[in-house]
Amino acid sequence: MNSASSGAKTLEITSNAGVVEARQLVRALTLECRLSLVEQTKLVTAASELARNTLIHGGGGTMTAALVDERGRRGVRLAFQDTGPGIPDVDLALTDGWTSGAGMGLGLSGSKRLVDDFTLETVPGQGTTVTITKWKR
């Protein structure tokens, strides 16, 4: 696979301020990538949900964000990583309406629908990494 990323930046997500900072960085990258307003909104929404999950369910972690060029496409790739409890049942966690807390149950499944590429890696007791990409159309 031919892939290049430019200027990856990693942010700590250890408080609500980190969630806000993550959203701001993602918005800036979507503008730099020249995503449409609709695509910008989708990616910022997904990032907000995943950053909040990183904080609340993962006990805090990081978001790494970068512009990527891959197979003639340009996009924004985000990776959210924590060392929290992990997700014991990924299929259940990706079911619309299922929640492990007081939320609406749209965080993971909703985020997956809003982006073009979505991967989730988790090991119970060790943590979770969710990587998403939104491609310029």
Side-chain angles (χ1 to χ4, degrees):
M1 175 167 60
N2 186 9
S3 177
S5 32
S6 60
K9 182 169 182 180
T10 300
L11 294 178
E12 296 287 327
I13 302 173
T14 56
S15 66
N16 285 328
V19 174
V20 171
E21 189 178 358
R23 277 197 306 258
Q24 291 169 341
L25 174 58
V26 172
R27 174 71 68 195
L29 287 172
T30 65
L31 290 170
E32 188 176 341
C33 188
R34 298 178 186 240
L35 295 181
S36 71
L37 182 58
V38 169
E39 301 303 319
Q40 289 175 38
T41 302
K42 287 179 178 181
L43 188 59
V44 171
T45 300
S48 183
E49 290 293 325
L50 295 172
R52 189 150 304 287
N53 279 1
T54 299
L55 178 62
I56 293 170
H57 301 293
T62 60
M63 177 189 81
T64 301
L67 294 176
V68 290
D69 291 292
E70 198 171 285
R71 288 173 283 179
R73 300 185 296 176
R74 186 161 173 82
V76 179
R77 180 165 296 145
L78 310 172
F80 298 84
Q81 187 169 21
D82 67 61
T83 56
I87 301 171
D89 187 337
V90 172
D91 290 335
L92 183 60
L94 287 169
T95 301
D96 283 348
W98 184 84
T99 178
S100 62
M104 294 172 27
L106 296 174
L108 285 175
S109 62
S111 295
K112 184 176 182 180
R113 278 195 310 275
L114 291 170
V115 300
D116 300 314
D117 298 331
F118 179 100
T119 59
L120 187 153
E121 299 170 15
T122 188
V123 177
Q126 294 182 28
T128 301
T129 300
V130 178
T131 304
I132 60 174
T133 306
K134 190 63 154 162
W135 298 107
K136 184 177 186 318
R137 302 210 184 285

